Amino acid sequence: MSDAALWAALADPHRRAVVALLRTGPRTVGEIAQACELSQPSASKHLKVLREAGLVRVRQEAQRRVHTLDPAPLAALDAWLAPYRKLWGESLDALGRRLDAAPDTAEPTPKD
């Protein structure tokens, strides 16, 4: 799985919806198509992209193919985002300190 394949797979909102659905448990293509309001061929195409990116695994159960989420690529993505999350947190903390230190310039509202 390449980073480019992972990003490309998650760039599509339908595939993100499939990933979110699979987070709650394994599903068949029909269940995914119905829950995500996709045609079955469209759901199958999205699942293929997700499988190729390493985000989804499929297993055969009798006549059914059951898809499950593989969280490993998401953990790698989370690790990549960690320094940025820290940066955002520090920036928001600095903004909060600045707002707390700023004098209140709002004019009092007259009471009736």
Side-chain angles (χ1 to χ4, degrees):
M1 169 222 35
S2 72
D3 288 346
L6 177 61
W7 286 106
L10 293 173
D12 185 278
H14 292 109
R15 290 192 285 270
R16 288 193 307 270
V18 171
V19 168
L21 178 65
L22 291 177
R23 194 182 70 207
T24 65
R27 302 274 193 263
T28 64
V29 176
E31 293 168 335
I32 292 166
Q34 183 178 16
C36 295
E37 298 180 355
L38 297 168
S39 68
Q40 194 156 342
S42 180
S44 292
K45 288 178 184 179
H46 288 301
L47 284 164
K48 180 181 178 189
V49 172
L50 292 169
R51 275 194 316 272
E52 289 172 352
L55 288 163
V56 170
R57 288 178 277 166
V58 63
R59 71 179 187 278
Q60 193 79 29
E61 286 185 3
Q63 299 294 330
R64 305 175 342 145
R65 294 178 58 157
V66 179
H67 297 81
T68 57
L69 182 65
D70 185 348
L74 294 174
L77 180 62
D78 183 57
W80 186 86
L81 287 170
Y84 298 98
R85 193 176 302 110
K86 182 181 177 195
L87 176 66
W88 296 325
E90 290 170 356
S91 296
L92 290 173
D93 289 344
L95 175 61
R97 286 190 300 274
R98 185 166 187 159
L99 291 173
D100 288 343
D104 188 8
T105 58
E107 294 183 26
T109 56
K111 295 186 179 187
D112 293 326

